[in-house]
Amino acid sequence: MATIIYKSPIFGPVKSRRFGISLGVNLMPGDGKICTFDCVYCECGFNADFKPKQKRPSRDEVKSALESKLIEMKSENQLPDVITFAGNGEPTAHPMFAGIIDDTVALRDTYCPQCKITVLSNATMLHKEDVVKALLKVDNNCQKLDTVDTDYIFRLDRPQSPSYKAETVVNQLCSFGGRVVVQTMFLTGTLDGEDISNTANRYVEPWLDALEKIAPQKVMIYTIDRETPSHELQKADKETLDAIAERVRERGFECSVSY
C-alpha cells in the first residue's frame, strides 16, 4: 500500500512534474492523513489506515518554519520556483488557512518575490468565504474536478461529506471569475471488479461543458504517477491524455499534461 506521509509543516523542496522546484507546505499533521476526500489513488493511502496522533501545525509554527527554510534556501542560492500547499490532506481545511496564506504572501514577497504560491485543493471547502478570499491571493489556485458525475466522484474521490455534489462545486468554481486552475486526474483500470476509467466520452464531454462555464485560466490534466492504495488502477496512456488535452484547447483553454 502507498504510504507517502509528508513532514509538517514544511517538506522538500521536491521536483514537481507541473511546477518545477517546489517547496511544500503541509498543513496537516506530519504523522498521518486528514482529508475531506479519501481518493482511491492517493499516494498517502487511505484516511483510516494513517490516523495521526499529532495536531495540525499552528499558524505561527507554519510561518516560523517557512521563513527559516526560505532563509536557508536563499543562503544556498537555491530558491524555489513555487511554494506549494499540499501534503497529507486538504490544505484549505486548516482553520487558520486564510491567515497562513497572508503570512506566506508576505514571506514570499520578502525572500523570493519571483516565486509563485500554489494551492492544490480538492474544492471541498469553497463554501467558506474566508477560504475563497484567500485563494484569490495566490498565483495558482488549483481546484480538483475529476468529473462532473457525482456518483463517480463518490467511487473515485470518496468525499467524506455525504452532501457533496459535483454540480455545486462547478457553480463554486464559476464564482472565481476565471482566477482558477482546474486539475483533473484521468485514469483507467478497475475498482472492486468494476471499470473505473473516466477517459470515456460519457465523462469527458460533460466535463468539457463544465469548463466552458468555469472559464479557468488553465487546465491541468494528469494521471497516476506513484503507487496507489487500490492496486487495480492504471495510468491513462499518453495518446488518451493528449487527445483529451486537444479537446480542451479546442474549447479555447490552455492545457498542460503530466504523464
Side-chain angles (χ1 to χ4, degrees), residues 3-14 23-33 43-44 54-57 62 65 69 84-89:
T3 56
I4 301 177
I5 300 298
Y6 292 94
K7 294 181 179 179
S8 179
I10 305 300
F11 63 93
V14 298
L23 180 61
V25 182
N26 174 27
L27 299 185
M28 298 300 118
D31 66 336
K33 181 187 173 190
E43 64 188 22
C44 298
Q54 300 174 8
K55 296 181 179 180
R56 293 184 175 99
V62 175
K69 188 64 177 181
T84 305
F85 285 80
N88 306 335

Side-chain angles (χ1 to χ4, degrees), residues 62-188:
V62 175
K63 180 179 179 181
S64 177
L66 178 58
E67 183 168 28
S68 294
K69 188 64 177 181
L70 290 176
I71 290 173
E72 174 190 323
M73 294 182 73
K74 187 170 184 177
S75 70
E76 297 172 351
N77 197 28
Q78 193 181 16
L79 287 168
D81 298 311
V82 62
I83 298 169
T84 305
F85 285 80
N88 306 335
E90 174 53 35
T92 64
H94 192 291
M96 295 301 296
F97 175 76
I100 290 170
I101 289 297
D102 286 340
D103 294 339
T104 302
V105 171
L107 291 172
R108 184 275 307 275
D109 292 348
T110 299
Y111 295 105
C112 50
Q114 80 289 348
C115 179
K116 304 296 185 183
I117 299 173
T118 294
V119 176
L120 302 182
S121 172
N122 61 24
T124 55
M125 303 300 289
L126 299 183
H127 59 283
K128 297 184 65 174
E129 184 178 359
D130 63 329
V131 167
V132 172
K133 288 182 177 179
L135 289 168
L136 287 170
K137 298 176 182 179
V138 307
D139 301 287
N140 300 311
N141 166 28
C142 300
Q143 300 292 324
K144 175 175 289 296
L145 187 67
D146 285 342
T147 70
V148 294
D149 184 314
T150 297
D151 290 339
Y152 179 86
I153 294 294
F154 270 97
R155 292 179 62 209
L156 183 75
D157 298 325
R158 306 199 302 180
Q160 300 300 282
S161 170
S163 64
Y164 178 95
K165 292 183 179 179
E167 181 181 4
T168 299
V169 172
V170 170
N171 290 335
Q172 290 168 335
L173 293 176
C174 290
S175 70
F176 283 113
R179 294 181 63 185
V180 63
V181 176
V182 171
Q183 54 173 351
T184 301
M185 163 72 78
F186 286 103
L187 47 69
T188 62

Side-chain angles (χ1 to χ4, degrees), residues 10-23:
I10 305 300
F11 63 93
V14 298
K15 178 68 175 177
S16 166
R17 288 186 295 170
R18 292 176 283 175
F19 302 112
I21 302 300
S22 171
L23 180 61

